[in-house]
Amino acid sequence: MHESRGMTRQAVLCLMTMLLAVLIFTFGFYQYHTQNSQVQAAKDLAQSALNSFTDYQDNREEASFRQGTAAFHEFYRASRELEEMPTQMRQTCGRVHAYLLYQPERAREHMEPLVAGLSALAKNPASMDAYADLNLFLQEVHVPGTEG
């Protein structure tokens, strides 16, 4: 009788261990899938901003600039959730976003580093090449004596 009880206990423990392993695997897979979805969404938004700003460079239509600014805003919002993105990159994107919104005339004059940065972000939202390009954009648009 005691032997049967021990086997039942072992079977229950084995079953619980297997169930726990399945739960851990499922949670890990879900987390991996969610993170990959967020990264892909950020890439897509960066590509959308890149397309709009490239169109703006080609045709100088205000609508293209506004679409690029809106897409960059959405990229910035999405990128704040990415674990891969370094804090300094988030801060840089926030400053770029502010210039696009509040000093668009200055931003329009310095599109090359912005487009280069977006090109890198569309491939990798945590790209340090993008960080360098976006900082160059910020240096070019900065008006001495102002914040940002």
Side-chain angles (χ1 to χ4, degrees):
M1 183 142 182
H2 290 291
E3 192 173 304
S4 166
R5 197 180 225 182
M7 288 182 71
T8 303
R9 225 181 254 163
Q10 281 183 334
V12 169
L13 284 175
C14 183
L15 185 61
M16 288 176 63
T17 302
M18 287 174 48
L19 185 59
L20 182 60
V22 167
L23 285 173
I24 289 171
F25 174 78
T26 302
F27 178 72
F29 180 77
Y30 171 77
Q31 194 171 22
Y32 173 79
H33 178 70
T34 300
Q35 188 64 20
N36 279 351
S37 295
Q38 290 173 330
V39 168
Q40 188 58 51
K43 286 179 181 181
D44 292 345
L45 290 166
Q47 184 65 52
S48 178
L50 173 62
N51 293 344
S52 294
F53 285 131
T54 300
D55 287 347
Y56 174 76
Q57 284 182 303
D58 293 342
N59 60 31
R60 295 292 183 199
E61 290 181 12
E62 181 67 20
S64 295
F65 185 85
R66 287 184 184 173
Q67 288 171 344
T69 300
F72 190 86
H73 171 75
E74 291 303 315
F75 165 79
Y76 174 58
R77 287 183 49 188
S79 69
R80 291 185 301 188
E81 304 298 319
L82 297 178
E83 295 173 7
E84 298 91 348
M85 185 171 274
T87 302
Q88 71 265 26
M89 182 63 154
R90 284 189 195 106
Q91 292 168 344
T92 295
C93 287
R95 291 179 64 210
V96 167
H97 181 246
Y99 272 106
L100 291 171
L101 286 176
Y102 301 116
Q103 293 193 352
E105 63 287 340
R106 298 274 306 156
R108 286 184 189 98
E109 296 171 11
H110 304 281
M111 296 300 293
E112 287 302 321
L114 176 62
V115 167
L118 285 167
S119 180
L121 288 173
K123 294 174 186 141
N124 176 7
S127 168
M128 291 313 285
D129 290 337
Y131 178 71
D133 289 329
L134 294 178
N135 274 313
L136 178 59
F137 169 79
L138 291 172
Q139 290 170 8
E140 290 182 5
V141 299
H142 180 70
V143 177
T146 62
E147 286 296 312

Tab-separated table of all heavy atoms in Angstrom, residues 72-73 75-77 79-80 85-102 121 131 134-135 137-138 147-148:
chain	number	residue	atom	x	y	z
A	72	PHE	N	7.260	59.384	-37.584
A	72	PHE	CA	8.349	59.409	-36.612
A	72	PHE	C	7.793	59.446	-35.198
A	72	PHE	O	8.326	58.800	-34.289
A	72	PHE	CB	9.302	60.586	-36.840
A	72	PHE	CG	10.542	60.474	-35.998
A	72	PHE	CD1	11.629	59.749	-36.453
A	72	PHE	CD2	10.609	61.054	-34.744
A	72	PHE	CE1	12.765	59.601	-35.663
A	72	PHE	CE2	11.728	60.920	-33.949
A	72	PHE	CZ	12.813	60.187	-34.416
A	73	HIS	N	6.716	60.197	-35.004
A	73	HIS	CA	6.067	60.241	-33.683
A	73	HIS	C	5.634	58.832	-33.263
A	73	HIS	O	5.876	58.415	-32.128
A	73	HIS	CB	4.858	61.179	-33.715
A	73	HIS	CG	4.021	61.112	-32.488
A	73	HIS	ND1	4.402	61.687	-31.304
A	73	HIS	CD2	2.826	60.514	-32.265
A	73	HIS	CE1	3.480	61.442	-30.390
A	73	HIS	NE2	2.503	60.746	-30.944
A	75	PHE	N	6.842	55.988	-34.394
A	75	PHE	CA	8.068	55.216	-34.154
A	75	PHE	C	8.597	55.515	-32.752
A	75	PHE	O	8.947	54.607	-32.002
A	75	PHE	CB	9.151	55.547	-35.192
A	75	PHE	CG	10.503	55.051	-34.772
A	75	PHE	CD1	10.840	53.712	-34.926
A	75	PHE	CD2	11.426	55.903	-34.182
A	75	PHE	CE1	12.069	53.236	-34.492
A	75	PHE	CE2	12.648	55.441	-33.757
A	75	PHE	CZ	12.975	54.101	-33.910
A	76	TYR	N	8.662	56.783	-32.410
A	76	TYR	CA	9.176	57.184	-31.094
A	76	TYR	C	8.347	56.553	-29.977
A	76	TYR	O	8.907	56.011	-29.014
A	76	TYR	CB	9.177	58.706	-30.988
A	76	TYR	CG	9.543	59.235	-29.625
A	76	TYR	CD1	10.765	58.918	-29.043
A	76	TYR	CD2	8.668	60.044	-28.917
A	76	TYR	CE1	11.096	59.407	-27.788
A	76	TYR	CE2	9.000	60.538	-27.672
A	76	TYR	CZ	10.214	60.208	-27.110
A	76	TYR	OH	10.540	60.686	-25.860
A	77	ARG	N	7.043	56.578	-30.100
A	77	ARG	CA	6.176	55.951	-29.087
A	77	ARG	C	6.432	54.453	-28.994
A	77	ARG	O	6.540	53.898	-27.904
A	77	ARG	CB	4.710	56.225	-29.404
A	77	ARG	CG	4.310	57.652	-29.121
A	77	ARG	CD	2.868	57.892	-29.366
A	77	ARG	NE	2.062	56.868	-28.712
A	77	ARG	CZ	0.762	56.739	-28.869
A	77	ARG	NH1	0.120	57.551	-29.641
A	77	ARG	NH2	0.108	55.796	-28.254
A	79	SER	N	9.122	52.800	-29.954
A	79	SER	CA	10.494	52.476	-29.566
A	79	SER	C	10.725	52.604	-28.066
A	79	SER	O	11.630	51.963	-27.526
A	79	SER	CB	11.490	53.358	-30.321
A	79	SER	OG	11.398	54.698	-29.886
A	80	ARG	N	9.938	53.387	-27.398
A	80	ARG	CA	10.111	53.533	-25.938
A	80	ARG	C	9.828	52.233	-25.207
A	80	ARG	O	10.265	52.059	-24.080
A	80	ARG	CB	9.218	54.650	-25.406
A	80	ARG	CG	9.686	56.020	-25.872
A	80	ARG	CD	8.900	57.129	-25.265
A	80	ARG	NE	7.487	56.990	-25.611
A	80	ARG	CZ	6.564	57.884	-25.359
A	80	ARG	NH1	6.887	58.999	-24.757
A	80	ARG	NH2	5.314	57.691	-25.720
A	85	MET	N	16.538	49.082	-27.098
A	85	MET	CA	16.923	50.453	-27.387
A	85	MET	C	17.568	51.097	-26.159
A	85	MET	O	16.953	51.195	-25.107
A	85	MET	CB	15.729	51.278	-27.834
A	85	MET	CG	16.135	52.677	-28.244
A	85	MET	SD	14.798	53.567	-29.008
A	85	MET	CE	14.988	53.016	-30.682
A	86	PRO	N	18.817	51.547	-26.317
A	86	PRO	CA	19.498	52.205	-25.197
A	86	PRO	C	18.798	53.507	-24.800
A	86	PRO	O	18.172	54.167	-25.636
A	86	PRO	CB	20.898	52.504	-25.750
A	86	PRO	CG	21.046	51.661	-26.975
A	86	PRO	CD	19.659	51.420	-27.495
A	87	THR	N	18.929	53.865	-23.550
A	87	THR	CA	18.286	55.073	-23.028
A	87	THR	C	18.692	56.313	-23.811
A	87	THR	O	17.846	57.153	-24.131
A	87	THR	CB	18.627	55.251	-21.538
A	87	THR	OG1	18.183	54.087	-20.835
A	87	THR	CG2	17.973	56.476	-20.950
A	88	GLN	N	19.979	56.429	-24.142
A	88	GLN	CA	20.420	57.627	-24.862
A	88	GLN	C	19.777	57.706	-26.240
A	88	GLN	O	19.525	58.795	-26.757
A	88	GLN	CB	21.948	57.727	-24.944
A	88	GLN	CG	22.606	56.728	-25.868
A	88	GLN	CD	23.106	55.481	-25.173
A	88	GLN	OE1	22.596	55.100	-24.127
A	88	GLN	NE2	24.112	54.838	-25.748
A	89	MET	N	19.468	56.559	-26.838
A	89	MET	CA	18.801	56.561	-28.139
A	89	MET	C	17.363	57.045	-27.993
A	89	MET	O	16.867	57.805	-28.821
A	89	MET	CB	18.845	55.159	-28.753
A	89	MET	CG	18.225	55.104	-30.122
A	89	MET	SD	19.123	56.124	-31.290
A	89	MET	CE	18.704	55.300	-32.775
A	90	ARG	N	16.691	56.613	-26.939
A	90	ARG	CA	15.321	57.087	-26.690
A	90	ARG	C	15.311	58.604	-26.518
A	90	ARG	O	14.445	59.303	-27.036
A	90	ARG	CB	14.751	56.420	-25.444
A	90	ARG	CG	14.340	55.013	-25.636
A	90	ARG	CD	13.573	54.500	-24.419
A	90	ARG	NE	13.512	53.058	-24.486
A	90	ARG	CZ	14.224	52.234	-23.726
A	90	ARG	NH1	15.016	52.701	-22.799
A	90	ARG	NH2	14.118	50.935	-23.865
A	91	GLN	N	16.284	59.115	-25.760
A	91	GLN	CA	16.369	60.551	-25.524
A	91	GLN	C	16.634	61.304	-26.833
A	91	GLN	O	16.034	62.355	-27.080
A	91	GLN	CB	17.458	60.850	-24.497
A	91	GLN	CG	17.111	60.337	-23.119
A	91	GLN	CD	18.289	60.369	-22.161
A	91	GLN	OE1	19.443	60.487	-22.552
A	91	GLN	NE2	17.988	60.249	-20.875
A	92	THR	N	17.515	60.772	-27.645
A	92	THR	CA	17.820	61.397	-28.935
A	92	THR	C	16.576	61.424	-29.816
A	92	THR	O	16.268	62.447	-30.428
A	92	THR	CB	18.977	60.650	-29.637
A	92	THR	OG1	20.153	60.820	-28.840
A	92	THR	CG2	19.228	61.183	-31.033
A	93	CYS	N	15.863	60.316	-29.872
A	93	CYS	CA	14.624	60.273	-30.668
A	93	CYS	C	13.610	61.286	-30.151
A	93	CYS	O	12.908	61.921	-30.945
A	93	CYS	CB	14.041	58.861	-30.672
A	93	CYS	SG	14.971	57.697	-31.683
A	94	GLY	N	13.529	61.457	-28.849
A	94	GLY	CA	12.629	62.453	-28.277
A	94	GLY	C	12.997	63.860	-28.701
A	94	GLY	O	12.126	64.677	-29.023
A	95	ARG	N	14.293	64.154	-28.740
A	95	ARG	CA	14.744	65.482	-29.170
A	95	ARG	C	14.483	65.685	-30.657
A	95	ARG	O	14.070	66.771	-31.076
A	95	ARG	CB	16.218	65.653	-28.844
A	95	ARG	CG	16.462	65.736	-27.327
A	95	ARG	CD	17.929	65.872	-26.989
A	95	ARG	NE	18.430	67.136	-27.522
A	95	ARG	CZ	19.689	67.311	-27.904
A	95	ARG	NH1	20.565	66.338	-27.830
A	95	ARG	NH2	20.076	68.477	-28.376
A	96	VAL	N	14.724	64.654	-31.474
A	96	VAL	CA	14.437	64.753	-32.909
A	96	VAL	C	12.952	65.033	-33.104
A	96	VAL	O	12.561	65.909	-33.881
A	96	VAL	CB	14.865	63.471	-33.659
A	96	VAL	CG1	14.300	63.439	-35.074
A	96	VAL	CG2	16.386	63.340	-33.675
A	97	HIS	N	12.124	64.299	-32.398
A	97	HIS	CA	10.677	64.476	-32.485
A	97	HIS	C	10.291	65.917	-32.152
A	97	HIS	O	9.470	66.534	-32.843
A	97	HIS	CB	9.984	63.482	-31.555
A	97	HIS	CG	8.512	63.562	-31.589
A	97	HIS	ND1	7.772	63.968	-30.515
A	97	HIS	CD2	7.625	63.291	-32.584
A	97	HIS	CE1	6.497	63.956	-30.839
A	97	HIS	NE2	6.378	63.549	-32.083
A	98	ALA	N	10.894	66.466	-31.121
A	98	ALA	CA	10.585	67.846	-30.726
A	98	ALA	C	10.955	68.834	-31.834
A	98	ALA	O	10.180	69.753	-32.130
A	98	ALA	CB	11.320	68.189	-29.430
A	99	TYR	N	12.113	68.650	-32.454
A	99	TYR	CA	12.491	69.555	-33.551
A	99	TYR	C	11.537	69.419	-34.735
A	99	TYR	O	11.182	70.425	-35.361
A	99	TYR	CB	13.931	69.310	-34.011
A	99	TYR	CG	14.930	70.113	-33.220
A	99	TYR	CD1	15.735	69.510	-32.274
A	99	TYR	CD2	15.062	71.482	-33.424
A	99	TYR	CE1	16.659	70.255	-31.546
A	99	TYR	CE2	15.981	72.239	-32.705
A	99	TYR	CZ	16.772	71.615	-31.759
A	99	TYR	OH	17.676	72.348	-31.048
A	100	LEU	N	11.141	68.203	-35.048
A	100	LEU	CA	10.211	68.013	-36.165
A	100	LEU	C	8.888	68.731	-35.907
A	100	LEU	O	8.297	69.314	-36.819
A	100	LEU	CB	9.971	66.523	-36.417
A	100	LEU	CG	11.157	65.746	-36.978
A	100	LEU	CD1	10.852	64.245	-36.966
A	100	LEU	CD2	11.515	66.217	-38.374
A	101	LEU	N	8.449	68.705	-34.654
A	101	LEU	CA	7.171	69.336	-34.310
A	101	LEU	C	7.276	70.844	-34.135
A	101	LEU	O	6.423	71.591	-34.620
A	101	LEU	CB	6.616	68.736	-33.020
A	101	LEU	CG	6.038	67.337	-33.102
A	101	LEU	CD1	5.617	66.871	-31.711
A	101	LEU	CD2	4.856	67.293	-34.049
A	102	TYR	N	8.296	71.298	-33.422
A	102	TYR	CA	8.334	72.689	-32.991
A	102	TYR	C	9.256	73.585	-33.808
A	102	TYR	O	9.132	74.808	-33.720
A	102	TYR	CB	8.701	72.765	-31.508
A	102	TYR	CG	7.713	72.004	-30.665
A	102	TYR	CD1	8.103	70.893	-29.940
A	102	TYR	CD2	6.365	72.367	-30.646
A	102	TYR	CE1	7.189	70.180	-29.183
A	102	TYR	CE2	5.443	71.658	-29.895
A	102	TYR	CZ	5.865	70.572	-29.166
A	102	TYR	OH	4.943	69.870	-28.431
A	121	LEU	N	17.497	52.963	-38.689
A	121	LEU	CA	16.452	52.528	-37.744
A	121	LEU	C	15.496	51.524	-38.391
A	121	LEU	O	14.978	50.640	-37.711
A	121	LEU	CB	15.658	53.730	-37.236
A	121	LEU	CG	16.376	54.650	-36.266
A	121	LEU	CD1	15.529	55.887	-35.993
A	121	LEU	CD2	16.713	53.928	-34.976
A	131	TYR	N	21.929	56.377	-34.179
A	131	TYR	CA	22.168	57.304	-33.071
A	131	TYR	C	23.126	58.408	-33.509
A	131	TYR	O	22.885	59.589	-33.271
A	131	TYR	CB	22.717	56.519	-31.881
A	131	TYR	CG	23.062	57.343	-30.671
A	131	TYR	CD1	22.058	57.908	-29.889
A	131	TYR	CD2	24.381	57.554	-30.293
A	131	TYR	CE1	22.364	58.662	-28.767
A	131	TYR	CE2	24.691	58.295	-29.171
A	131	TYR	CZ	23.685	58.850	-28.413
A	131	TYR	OH	23.987	59.592	-27.312
A	134	LEU	N	21.329	60.690	-36.116
A	134	LEU	CA	20.311	61.543	-35.501
A	134	LEU	C	20.952	62.629	-34.642
A	134	LEU	O	20.445	63.758	-34.574
A	134	LEU	CB	19.325	60.703	-34.689
A	134	LEU	CG	18.455	59.756	-35.511
A	134	LEU	CD1	17.543	58.941	-34.606
A	134	LEU	CD2	17.652	60.486	-36.575
A	135	ASN	N	22.065	62.327	-34.011
A	135	ASN	CA	22.772	63.365	-33.255
A	135	ASN	C	23.365	64.413	-34.185
A	135	ASN	O	23.399	65.598	-33.851
A	135	ASN	CB	23.850	62.749	-32.352
A	135	ASN	CG	23.259	62.319	-31.036
A	135	ASN	OD1	22.520	63.064	-30.404
A	135	ASN	ND2	23.563	61.116	-30.615
A	137	PHE	N	21.973	65.274	-37.008
A	137	PHE	CA	20.775	66.063	-37.330
A	137	PHE	C	20.523	67.098	-36.240
A	137	PHE	O	20.298	68.282	-36.516
A	137	PHE	CB	19.569	65.133	-37.498
A	137	PHE	CG	18.247	65.846	-37.577
A	137	PHE	CD1	17.839	66.457	-38.759
A	137	PHE	CD2	17.402	65.911	-36.484
A	137	PHE	CE1	16.621	67.114	-38.842
A	137	PHE	CE2	16.180	66.562	-36.552
A	137	PHE	CZ	15.790	67.165	-37.743
A	138	LEU	N	20.585	66.663	-34.981
A	138	LEU	CA	20.335	67.579	-33.864
A	138	LEU	C	21.369	68.703	-33.819
A	138	LEU	O	21.019	69.855	-33.537
A	138	LEU	CB	20.320	66.809	-32.540
A	138	LEU	CG	19.134	65.872	-32.347
A	138	LEU	CD1	19.332	65.020	-31.102
A	138	LEU	CD2	17.826	66.645	-32.280
A	147	GLU	N	16.750	75.688	-26.045
A	147	GLU	CA	16.770	74.340	-25.463
A	147	GLU	C	16.748	73.317	-26.561
A	147	GLU	O	16.200	73.541	-27.635
A	147	GLU	CB	15.556	74.138	-24.546
A	147	GLU	CG	15.676	74.859	-23.242
A	147	GLU	CD	16.811	74.356	-22.392
A	147	GLU	OE1	16.954	73.137	-22.221
A	147	GLU	OE2	17.560	75.201	-21.882
A	148	GLY	N	17.271	72.108	-26.248
A	148	GLY	CA	17.176	71.015	-27.220
A	148	GLY	C	18.485	70.732	-27.772
A	148	GLY	O	18.913	70.051	-28.529
